[in-house]
Amino acid sequence: MESDTTFRRIKPFGTQNYVAQDNDGSRDRGVDNGYNGDPKRKPEVSLYLLREGLAASLVSVFILVLWGLVHLSLQQLVIGKPSGDFNSVRARQHLEKITSVGPRPVGSHENEVLTVGYLLEQIENIRVETAAGPHKVTVDVQRPTGTFSIDFLGGFTSFYDRVTNIAVRLEPKSGSQHFMLANCHFDTVANSPGASDDAVSCAVMLEVLHSLANQSTPLLHGVVFLFNGAEENILQASHGFITQHPWAKQVRAFINLEAAGVGGKEVVFQTGPENPWLVQAYVQAAKHPFASVVGQEVFQSGIIPSDTDFRIYRDFGNIPGIDLAFIENGFIYHTKYDTADRILTDSIQRAGDNILAVLKYLVNSEKLADSSEYRHGNMVFYDLLGVFVVAYPARVGTI
């Protein structure tokens, strides 16, 4: 359809002058605001389209940034080749060997004989290999009997008889009076090979022991590595160690390695009680930090029907600590699908790097000698995309 009037543009943009030429050749001059038709509706449509386009652009930018951040977080698992200090390939061999015997419930041949035999063999190899170095390795197999009451799951009294602990004492040849405790458990629930809960932690601890024992410079303090054989039947072996073993009196703080899932990142989900210097040590030392105080609040609230050896060391040993756990794929935790092939070597490398670095930092810290002096207040802590950790006193969060 043609119009009776033809508009000829004079200026390329902005407010335009125009000349209107009728069919009879006459002309009329005026001002063109950049639109035809109803002078009220077109600006509203243009403004709406502008806003819509801007909103779409902002959403697109947000999605791209979010994708980048998630990608960065996921890349935290891709550690690459072993760093030299911690060898994840060797740790994986330990993991596969421990899980190869199948489920290891307390009292079974697989738990009390086969797994204990393998762990003692590997520890002896480390002791012989590092005998000429500046450290000494002492091994003690403890089989405690005892009883204790606990308010877990409504409260009950637990009795245990000759459960198994393998305690390894690493210290300078000149001796040490103050020790860190590193704890894992090698027993499992009855239907699971327990790769993540908790064989991988024992494999990591074996390799951390190997690395620390091979240090050319003596450690300032010592480490007790406790491979405990009775955690799944409600924390019995840890109680036997902390209340009955003579080495327990020299333990000033602990790191507990656990699982609430299979593989992935290991998260710091409990610390303390109080003792902010432990959180600060993790902040300073961890190579691939992953931590959340929210996990501590939820876990200690009692909502989750689960517990770890952290409770025993805290309540019966009166010592502070750090609780770490693998949390990915929680739906196959405590099932027959908790197998070694589901745990990436990168996950093992990541955990080993962190635990070795934090232990090394703590056993060379002057604060370990008298940790009670630094016991004050709780901490708020969380990581940002696994790049670094933010930590500050809880009173600051209250303010």
Side-chain angles (χ1 to χ4, degrees):
M1 181 183 295
E2 295 181 357
S3 173
D4 291 339
T5 302
T6 303
F7 288 86
R8 178 164 54 87
R9 300 287 183 182
I10 305 300
K11 295 182 180 180
F13 58 85
T15 300
Q16 308 286 344
N17 292 331
Y18 67 84
V19 176
Q21 181 174 343
D22 295 332
N23 291 339
D24 60 2
S26 62
R27 297 185 176 187
D28 184 23
R29 294 186 180 272
V31 178
D32 177 11
N33 290 317
Y35 60 90
N36 296 323
D38 188 345
K40 295 181 179 179
R41 295 187 62 185
K42 196 59 178 284
E44 292 178 358
V45 173
S46 298
L47 186 59
Y48 173 77
L49 291 174
L50 177 62
R51 288 176 177 172
E52 189 178 56
L54 181 60
S57 299
L58 290 174
V59 169
S60 299
V61 169
F62 173 76
I63 291 173
L64 286 173
V65 170
L66 186 61
W67 177 87
L69 294 178
V70 170
H71 184 70
L72 176 62
S73 183
L74 290 175
Q75 283 296 105
Q76 299 299 317
L77 275 179
V78 184
I79 306 301
K81 295 180 179 180
S83 62
D85 292 331
F86 182 89
N87 191 319
S88 58
V89 174
R90 190 158 48 217
R92 171 166 283 285
Q93 292 171 353
H94 295 317
L95 169 63
E96 292 174 349
K97 184 66 177 180
I98 293 170
T99 56
S100 66
V101 302
R104 302 174 299 281
V106 176
S108 67
H109 180 75
E110 289 79 6
N111 193 65
E112 311 300 335
V113 178
L114 298 181
T115 306
V116 168
Y118 177 77
L119 291 172
L120 289 175
E121 177 187 0
Q122 298 307 309
I123 293 164
E124 178 61 17
N125 290 342
I126 295 171
R127 190 192 68 80
V128 172
E129 178 185 337
T130 60
H135 301 102
K136 61 180 178 181
V137 176
T138 309
V139 186
D140 182 61
V141 178
Q142 181 200 25
R143 290 193 166 88
T145 297
T147 184
F148 64 97
S149 296
I150 189 170
D151 60 3
F152 179 59
L153 296 178
F156 58 91
T157 297
S158 178
F159 173 80
Y160 54 92
D161 182 33
R162 292 184 57 78
V163 294
T164 304
N165 278 322
I166 301 175
V168 184
R169 181 180 171 119
L170 174 69
E171 60 188 323
K173 285 185 174 177
S174 57
S176 179
Q177 296 301 312
H178 311 290
F179 286 80
M180 276 295 300
L181 172 68
N183 177 80
C184 70
H185 69 90
F186 55 86
D187 66 308
T188 70
V189 293
N191 64 328
S192 175
S196 190
D197 185 27
D198 196 28
V200 67
S201 296
C202 294
V204 167
M205 273 181 38
L206 277 174
E207 184 55 28
V208 169
L209 170 61
H210 180 273
S211 180
L212 288 177
N214 276 285
Q215 296 285 314
S216 57
T217 304
L219 301 173
L220 180 62
H221 305 297
V223 186
V224 173
F225 293 87
L226 181 65
F227 300 85
N228 91 59
E231 189 271 350
E232 295 295 356
N233 54 346
I234 318 298
L235 321 176
Q236 293 178 341
S238 56
H239 182 270
F241 174 81
I242 205 64
T243 60
Q244 299 178 42
H245 202 288
W247 295 351
K249 296 177 182 178
Q250 294 177 295
V251 172
R252 306 292 179 247
F254 69 90
I255 292 180
N256 184 48
L257 314 182
E258 258 294 354
V262 180
K265 300 178 180 181
E266 82 293 344
V267 61
V268 173
F269 70 100
Q270 287 193 98
T271 65
E274 301 179 330
N275 287 271
W277 64 280
L278 279 173
V279 178
Q280 291 163 352
Y282 181 84
V283 170
Q284 292 289 327
K287 293 186 178 181
H288 319 288
F290 188 38
S292 174
V293 72
V294 175
Q296 175 172 289
E297 296 301 318
V298 172
F299 196 81
Q300 293 184 1
S301 71
I303 295 175
I304 300 175
S306 182
D307 219 324
T308 73
D309 288 320
F310 181 97
R311 172 197 279 258
I312 298 296
Y313 298 133
R314 179 195 66 196
D315 295 353
F316 293 93
N318 195 32
I319 54 177
I322 300 175
D323 215 0
L324 302 98
F326 291 100
I327 59 172
E328 191 172 291
N329 300 320
F331 59 94
I332 54 178
Y333 163 74
H334 272 194
T335 72
K336 65 181 181 180
Y337 303 107
D338 182 7
T339 53
D341 60 297
R342 296 182 184 274
I343 301 177
L344 298 176
T345 302
D346 281 335
S347 290
I348 300 173
Q349 184 70 50
R350 173 194 172 85
D353 285 346
N354 281 339
I355 294 159
L356 175 59
V358 173
L359 265 181
K360 192 183 297 185
Y361 182 94
L362 287 168
V363 296
N364 286 301
S365 170
E366 295 287 350
K367 293 180 179 180
L368 188 66
D370 187 10
S371 60
S372 61
E373 182 181 343
Y374 305 96
R375 181 168 185 160
H376 57 85
N378 292 313
M379 296 286 285
V380 175
F381 57 90
Y382 51 89
D383 72 286
L384 292 178
L385 299 170
V387 177
F388 61 90
V389 175
V390 176
Y392 50 86
R395 63 180 181 275
V396 174
T398 302
I399 294 171

